[in-house]
Amino acid sequence: MMAGVSANADAQRSAAPPPELGRAARRSASWTIAHTADEADRPSGSQSIQRALVLLNLVGVLARDRPEGVSLAELTRVSGRPKASVRRVLVALVAEGYVEQDPGTACYRLGLQAGVLGELAGHRADDLGEASTDSLIRIADTSTDTTFLTVRHGSYGVCTRRQEGPGPIRNYALAVGDRHPLGIGAGSLAVLSALSDDDIDDVLASTATTRGHYPGFDDETLRGLVRRSRRDGYALNDGRVIAGSWALGVPVHDAAGRPVAALSVAGIAERFDPPQCDELAALLHTEARSIHAALTRSQESRPVRGRP
Amino acid sequence: MMAGVSANADAQRSAAPPPELGRAARRSASWTIAHTADEADRPSGSQSIQRALVLLNLVGVLARDRPEGVSLAELTRVSGRPKASVRRVLVALVAEGYVEQDPGTACYRLGLQAGVLGELAGHRADDLGEASTDSLIRIADTSTDTTFLTVRHGSYGVCTRRQEGPGPIRNYALAVGDRHPLGIGAGSLAVLSALSDDDIDDVLASTATTRGHYPGFDDETLRGLVRRSRRDGYALNDGRVIAGSWALGVPVHDAAGRPVAALSVAGIAERFDPPQCDELAALLHTEARSIHAALTRSQESRPVRGRP
DNA sequence: CGCAACGGTCCATATTGTGGACCACGGATC
DNA sequence: GATCCGTGGTCCACAATATGGACCGTTGCG
């Protein structure tokens, strides 16, 4: 019990360009990495719910580029949980409409309610998303690379926006919905580096077991990366998550000055030699400041508590 | 236990126009109506999950027009469940990021993950939503009233789209995310009327207890409404859900010919005398056929199963 | 024809979620 | 300022609930 829970994201990001992979190339994940706040410190009585929510997210992420959906087998494999459990949860999710099952293939994908929830959530004032879209587009256009918005959630970073640049190179290392411990990836590292030393200690402690599944991201390495990021003024991911995929990120601060998100740009290694890095960082910083300003504005223009 | 579970929707749709309601006017719901498939027939082993999902939806619906969020008290009241339970579930939802709690007011609203899920779900091929947007806009424009897309989910209908017309009158009887048993409301009734008699029997049986909370929608009344709808060629809701709020709906059939959704238009009673009804019905039918055609097209242009 | 992988089901077990009772707080009202 | 109500939040004995290993029926490959 309480072993490796759940899973995630780019475990299995199918290499898209070559459609010629033999059937031998298993699409399934070979590692199961945690997808949620470290399971250990959960005090309370709701693990079935937490498992369900994690699985829901997992269905969304895995089925993202597959209209067919995800197979039960793959979900059990990736989530690292017994098949019967996964299925029981899936049945519940289907019953509520958050997941639907393809009657033909028996595969699972997000359902009606997931869309409704999104509609409801989108309708809500999503200040950050709102404020960042323009910036993302501008960055993607001028850099010609793929741009991301990573939002801090506890000790983890969640990719909430992704904007393709006009360039020919597509990046599959990060997609909307992916979640990684703070420090893994450029945007995530940018947020981490912007935290206080005390907060960093907490984060590292909290994500320790999760990070066990990311080779080469032990505490010391991460602290080193934080130091470098602070010195340089930007966070650089030199291909340590996925070989050959580099990225550069800077933090975004909310109205209260807390680093709540990050902008990042990803591309191939060749695009990240020092002079280009500085140029990119300047661009990102400008946009990050612009988002911060927008957040500040929208904050003070809403002192309304309760009804007029 | 297993008494009235959960709740919904337009229980408490605050009358928006008059901002001058004394503090005496409680905003909270006074009735708790079921929000999910009838709880009785749930085979099992996942009621905590189902409760969590229902609550999640509830947070979304109730907090829709309130950036502040919903209070714990209101959620317990509307959901009809013990406060401790509601809170425990909310904590789990918050921990996973699907709900967030305003640190100032302690109110709950949809969180980051809800938006992510929506993004993921929207990215998915949402044929129906895609095919209907244009139609909804056209109907709203020509009718000058508010137009809805209601999707069938089991024995219930869920409002998934809503398009305001240019007219001055706003309708607050139905909003995205609301769920009612089939037969309650114009669109919902349109779907029901398009089902086979056997299916209608099943639906009525399945929603019997739920409909207990909708006064004046017993089996006989509904069968009568179905007969009338079939005769007229459209479903008319003559203000029986919310007094003064009338609506007219027609079913939408998928590629296989099954009634999976409905288009409907809502407005004040004065706009629904027989000649206008026929005119409206004709308009809706045209658009319904157009959506059906689009669905058929998108269906046959996607025979791709598996990878090339 | 066996083998492996698939989706799906069963059911004894104890872990998990349950919810009534309780506390502290804040703002009306007397 | 004493009293009341409603709020958000916590506790914990209890048993209903979720759990997951074992199992079944199919399918498709070698």
Side-chain angles (χ1 to χ4, degrees), chain A:
Chain A
M1 58 225 60
M2 120 160 3
V5 162
S6 68
N8 162 321
D10 57 359
Q12 88 77 261
R13 173 88 55 239
S14 58
E20 260 325 331
L21 22 83
R23 147 166 89 274
R26 289 223 119 312
R27 303 196 79 224
S28 341
S30 52
W31 34 331
T32 78
I33 59 185
H35 198 115
T36 179
D38 259 21
E39 37 297 328
D41 53 6
R42 178 163 308 270
S44 55
S46 55
Q47 51 143 259
S48 77
I49 296 178
Q50 98 101 303
R51 283 173 177 167
L53 294 175
V54 168
L55 195 70
L56 177 57
N57 196 340
L58 201 55
V59 169
V61 171
L62 290 185
R64 185 194 299 125
D65 318 311
R66 247 175 305 176
E68 279 298 302
V70 204
S71 72
L72 171 61
E74 181 165 0
L75 280 170
T76 61
R77 230 176 292 120
V78 168
S79 69
R81 303 199 33 72
K83 186 177 56 170
S85 292
V86 173
R87 208 187 110 78
R88 181 163 16 89
V89 173
L90 279 173
V91 167
L93 291 173
V94 168
E96 289 303 314
Y98 283 86
V99 167
E100 64 187 24
Q101 183 174 27
D102 189 303
T105 64
C107 284
Y108 299 88
R109 67 179 96 91
L110 289 186
L112 186 60
Q113 284 295 325
V116 169
L117 202 65
E119 197 94 7
L120 257 40
H123 205 283
R124 176 183 71 98
D126 180 7
D127 290 342
L128 222 170
E130 203 67 25
S132 64
T133 41
D134 284 5
S135 291
L136 285 171
I137 292 175
R138 278 194 294 265
I139 299 173
D141 278 354
T142 46
S143 74
T144 76
D145 281 319
T146 309
T147 310
F148 306 91
L149 179 70
T150 301
V151 176
R152 176 185 179 189
H153 181 227
S155 302
Y156 294 76
V158 184
C159 171
T160 60
R161 300 272 166 138
R162 175 191 164 111
Q163 181 65 47
E164 305 289 347
I169 297 172
R170 286 287 177 272
N171 187 299
Y172 290 91
L174 191 62
V176 171
D178 286 0
R179 169 187 299 208
H180 299 283
L182 285 183
I184 315 280
S188 185
L189 177 59
V191 173
L192 183 69
S193 303
L195 295 178
S196 75
D197 287 345
D198 285 356
D199 285 350
I200 292 183
D201 289 344
D202 291 347
V203 167
L204 290 187
S206 160
T207 62
T209 66
T210 303
R211 288 201 328 277
H213 303 110
Y214 296 83
F217 280 99
D218 54 288
D219 283 23
E220 262 331 294
T221 313
L222 271 181
R223 290 186 198 277
L225 289 175
V226 166
R227 274 193 299 275
R228 193 185 68 189
S229 304
R230 286 175 171 173
R231 167 168 53 80
D232 295 345
Y234 57 81
L236 184 68
N237 165 19
D238 43 356
R240 10 186 121 214
V241 185
I242 292 184
S245 175
W246 287 42
L248 186 153
V250 308
V252 174
H253 300 264
D254 69 359
R258 287 167 308 210
V260 291
L263 293 170
S264 59
V265 175
I268 53 175
E270 286 67 28
R271 300 183 62 84
F272 291 91
D273 42 27
Q276 293 192 41
C277 277
D278 288 338
E279 202 173 320
L280 259 181
L283 172 63
L284 293 191
H285 273 130
T286 307
E287 296 296 350
R289 267 193 301 271
S290 144
I291 295 176
H292 170 69
L295 289 178
T296 310
R297 251 179 285 118
S298 78
Q299 173 80 354
E300 63 197 15
S301 76
R302 199 191 308 156
V304 215
R305 288 267 187 241
R307 42 202 51 253

Side-chain angles (χ1 to χ4, degrees), chain B residues 143-209:
Chain B
S143 75
T144 75
D145 281 319
T146 310
T147 311
F148 306 91
L149 179 69
T150 300
V151 176
R152 177 184 180 191
H153 182 226
S155 302
Y156 295 76
V158 184
C159 171
T160 60
R161 299 273 166 137
R162 174 190 165 111
Q163 181 65 49
E164 306 289 347
I169 297 172
R170 286 286 177 271
N171 186 298
Y172 290 90
L174 191 62
V176 171
D178 286 0
R179 168 188 300 209
H180 299 282
L182 285 182
I184 316 281
S188 184
L189 178 60
V191 173
L192 183 68
S193 305
L195 295 177
S196 76
D197 287 344
D198 285 356
D199 285 349
I200 292 183
D201 290 343
D202 290 346
V203 167
L204 290 187
S206 161
T207 62
T209 66

